[in-house]
Amino acid sequence: MANIKESLCVHLDQLQGGETQEIEFNVSPEFLDVQENDGFLAKHPVQIEGQAYIAEDYLVLDFNIETAITLACALCNTEFELPVELHHFLHEEALKDIKKKKFNFSDVVREAIILEIPFYPLCGGKECLHRGEIEKYLKKENIEETHSPFADLE
Ligand SMILES: [Zn+2]
């Protein structure tokens, strides 16, 4: 899998003189090198499309990134798929920071995807699909423990 990661490169030599390089990759998500504490799983191919060019002293990447990541719902803990669709994700890298005229953008894509992880992931997107079941359970507990039906009568 190191080969995939290696292939996600822009060669500055090909961009000299104002050339634009078309980028098109559809690659296994293993290059994302997901760790346990990243908070997501990557099971789907990652599609990277766009352009790379040099503007002034910067390498500019203008990417569309599409994939889906697997998250656990913050409320019910069910695993669910979150589509990631980034359009015109821009990254600028100073040319002076690029070693050997070759820029590997695998980490740029990885960071872009990680930024899409919601702070509070919910299995239904904006809500938890199992919220009803969980609330029923919580309410039952509440009533039994803290609320007596006769308390209001006094
Ligand atoms: Zn849920």
Side-chain angles (χ1 to χ4, degrees), residues 23-141:
I23 304 287
E24 197 174 344
F25 286 96
N26 197 336
V27 289
S28 154
E30 291 184 39
F31 81 91
L32 294 171
D33 195 22
V34 176
Q35 306 295 316
E36 215 169 305
N37 61 2
D38 282 336
F40 74 105
L41 296 172
K43 300 174 180 175
H44 300 275
V46 182
Q47 194 174 335
I48 308 161
E49 266 181 25
Q51 296 179 327
Y53 54 89
I54 290 172
E56 304 283 329
D57 298 325
Y58 291 88
L59 167 68
V60 180
L61 305 177
D62 179 353
F63 284 174
N64 296 328
I65 301 168
E66 282 189 32
T67 186
I69 56 178
T70 307
L71 299 172
C73 176
L75 215 55
C76 71
N77 210 32
T78 304
E79 277 194 6
F80 68 102
E81 303 282 314
L82 178 79
V84 173
E85 288 184 21
L86 295 166
H87 299 287
H88 292 294
F89 179 84
L90 289 170
H91 177 81
E92 292 182 346
E93 191 79 18
L95 294 181
K96 63 176 169 56
D97 294 335
I98 300 175
K99 308 248 165 20
K100 294 178 186 168
K101 296 195 167 191
K102 193 171 120 178
F103 180 67
N104 185 299
F105 55 78
S106 60
D107 284 342
V108 170
V109 174
R110 177 185 150 83
E111 289 303 311
I113 291 172
I114 286 178
L115 283 174
E116 289 300 293
I117 300 175
F119 179 69
Y120 198 73
L122 294 170
C123 58
K126 290 198 169 83
E127 56 178 1
C128 172
L129 299 177
H130 304 104
R131 192 182 189 108
E133 298 156 39
I134 290 171
E135 272 178 354
K136 224 183 286 167
Y137 175 75
L138 291 177
K139 260 184 207 148
K140 213 170 165 192
E141 265 200 340

